[in-house]
Every structure is written in structure tokens, then in C-alpha cells.
């Protein structure tokens, strides 16, 4: 079974700071997902990637398949970015039903 | 519907009771997933439907848990003889099986189950 680890577990920063959240996994994957979960809210899919880099607004996700590592970056962070960010991976033999999730990184952006 | 709808949003029950949690996926999404999220943890896979059939139920913790999707749309997760350890947020997600949106999950807001 793939082991997915995220760091840091908790992160507090000031508005405007550049944020990096890291995800590492132990076994080769077919895709990696970054998800956002607001307190009391549902989970929103931010990115699904299998190589390289993707960008959406102030969010950037990168993945290094050889290193089994992905990062989620937030530029010009804002208090509304405060949420739990979850990394999840799917194995080559399975689809989304076999997603293995990290424990999440709780991000707090102070004004 | 526009999103994945889950009901109830909160359920408090007593140990030993039977509980049903409902998920209404996005219209046209043939793939439906149930996950369970305990406090401070990431979600854990329970069961996956492709159409009406359970394609993978390997995540169900024991035979007290069962899920159905009789018409390939709405799904119900059923928990018999609930235990305190069943307390968690039960998340439902759906996706397209094929095409550009395949495997991109849309999650519901979850059903928070508390077993006293």
C-alpha cells in the first residue's frame, strides 16, 4: 500500500506570503491529486497531475515522479486560502477508487 | 444536480442502532465513491460503484457496512449495529468514468455521524 506523507501538518503565515506544502509517496503512481477542504465544508479538487506542473490562478502544483514528491504552492496568500490541503495518489493498477490520502496540511493565513 | 448532495449532514445515534446515509451524485457521473474521514485524518476509501454494481468494496471495514446503488444514481451507505468507532464524516464523491473528466472527483459536503 502506498504511504502518503504531507508536510508541514500545520502552517500559519501572514497574508501575502508565498506558501509551499509538500507531499511524498512511497510507490509509483498514475496520478496525484491536490484537494482543498474548508472547515465544515466539502472537499474541492484543485489539481490532478501525473507529470510536470499545473497552474490555476495563484495555485501551482508540481510533481517529480523520480523523487516521488509533489508540492503545492500558493502565491500572494490570502485569508480565504485558509483550509486543509490534502494530497492523494492513485496507483497504476487502480483508478480514483484506489486513492490513498495524506493526513492533510492545515493552513491558516492571518490578515 | 449541480453538485454532489449528501443527507443527512449530521446524524447522532445511539450505539447499536441502524443508520442510512444517502448520496446523490452529479447527473451523468457513472462512478461513485464512499470514503470515511476520522478526525484529523485524511479520507479512507470504503467502496466504489461503477453504474449499479459495486466494483470494489475492499475498503468496507466489516460486514456491518453495506452500500447500494440500485438505479446507478443515488447511493445509500448502510451501517448496522453502529459502534462508537463508526463516528466519522462519511464522504461521497462522483466522477466521469471516461473522457476528460475521468477520475476527477467531485465531493459532497459529507455526513457527520456521531455514535453515542
Amino acid at each position: 500500500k502506498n504511504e502518503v506523507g504531507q508536510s508541514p501538518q500545520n502552517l500559519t503565515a501572514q497574508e501575502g506570503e508565498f506558501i509551499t506544502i509538500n507531499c511524498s509517496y512511497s510507490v509509483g503512481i498514475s496520478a496525484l491529486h491536490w484537494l482543498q477542504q474548508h472547515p465544515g465544508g466539502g472537499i474541492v479538487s484543485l489539481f490532478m497531475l501525473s507529470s510536470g506542473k499545473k497552474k490555476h490562478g495563484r495555485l501551482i502544483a508540481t510533481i517529480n515522479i523520480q523523487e516521488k514528491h509533489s508540492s503545492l504552492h500558493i502565491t500572494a496568500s490570502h485569508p480565504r486560502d485558509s483550509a486543509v490541503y490534502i494530497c492523494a495518489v492513485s496507483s497504476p493498477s487502480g483508478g480514483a477508487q484506489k486513492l490513498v490520502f495524506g493526513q492533510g496540511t492545515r493552513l491558516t493565513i492571518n490578515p | 444536480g449541480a453538485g454532489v448532495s449528501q443527507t443527512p449532514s449530521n446524524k447522532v445515534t445511539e450505539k447499536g442502532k441502524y443508520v442510512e446515509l444517502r448520496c446523490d451524485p452529479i447527473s451523468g457521473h457513472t462512478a461513485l465513491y464512499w470514503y470515511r474521514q476520522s478526525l484529523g485524518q485524511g479520507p479512507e476509501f470504503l467502496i466504489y460503484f461503477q453504474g449499479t454494481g459495486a466494483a470494489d468494496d475492499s475498503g468496507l471495514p466489516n460486514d456491518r457496512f453495506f452500500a447500494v446503488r440500485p438505479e446507478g444514481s443515488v447511493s445509500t451507505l448502510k451501517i448496522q449495529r453502529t459502534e462508537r468507532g463508526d463516528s466519522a464524516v462519511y464522504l461521497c464523491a462522483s466522477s466521469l468514468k471516461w473522457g476528460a473528466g475521468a477520475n476527477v472527483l467531485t465531493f459532497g459536503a459529507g455526513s457527520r455521524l456521531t455514535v453515542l
Side-chain angles (χ1 to χ4, degrees):
Chain A
K1 182 184 172 182
N2 219 330
E3 300 291 331
V4 180
Q6 289 185 234
S7 64
Q9 280 191 286
N10 290 281
L11 178 57
T12 300
Q14 292 299 121
E15 184 173 357
E17 286 188 38
F18 180 81
I19 302 299
T20 296
I21 299 171
N22 296 299
C23 174
S24 60
Y25 50 93
S26 58
V27 178
I29 63 170
S30 59
L32 182 143
H33 302 246
W34 280 104
L35 310 162
Q36 181 192 56
Q37 186 172 33
H38 282 281
I43 296 176
V44 175
S45 179
L46 298 175
F47 295 103
M48 184 176 76
L49 66 166
S50 54
S51 65
K53 173 179 166 179
K54 286 191 175 180
K55 184 176 188 294
H56 185 249
R58 295 180 294 106
L59 301 178
I60 303 166
T62 64
I63 187 168
N64 183 320
I65 297 297
Q66 288 73 30
E67 298 287 325
K68 296 187 178 61
H69 180 270
S70 174
S71 293
L72 177 68
H73 305 285
I74 305 175
T75 61
S77 59
H78 190 276
R80 65 174 173 268
D81 297 326
S82 298
V84 175
Y85 292 83
I86 304 172
C87 165
V89 300
S90 55
S91 69
S93 60
Q97 71 274 18
K98 288 296 190 182
L99 282 181
V100 177
F101 293 78
Q103 80 277 25
T105 294
R106 182 174 300 278
L107 174 66
T108 304
I109 303 296
N110 294 319
Chain B
V4 177
S5 175
Q6 289 189 247
T7 55
S9 56
N10 276 287
K11 176 72 177 177
V12 180
T13 191
E14 293 180 342
K15 179 174 178 293
K17 298 291 188 183
Y18 170 80
V19 166
E20 287 190 354
L21 307 175
R22 176 189 164 109
C23 172
D24 196 347
I26 289 177
S27 178
H29 279 193
T30 58
L32 184 145
Y33 316 80
W34 283 100
Y35 295 91
R36 178 169 72 172
Q37 186 175 25
S38 299
L39 192 63
Q41 303 294 318
E44 292 180 306
F45 168 73
L46 294 177
I47 186 170
Y48 156 63
F49 288 89
Q50 183 54 243
T52 60
D56 186 341
D57 64 358
S58 62
L60 294 177
N62 52 59
D63 61 7
R64 294 187 298 106
F65 288 74
F66 189 70
V68 296
R69 194 186 185 199
E71 297 177 1
S73 178
V74 171
S75 176
T76 304
L77 178 65
K78 308 181 181 194
I79 311 174
Q80 298 178 317
R81 304 184 303 280
T82 51
E83 299 178 358
R84 292 193 180 88
D86 299 335
S87 296
V89 176
Y90 289 81
L91 295 164
C92 177
S94 69
S95 75
L96 292 170
K97 178 60 177 176
W98 310 109
N103 294 326
V104 177
L105 301 180
T106 301
F107 284 83
S111 292
R112 181 178 297 277
L113 175 66
T114 303
V115 182
L116 301 177

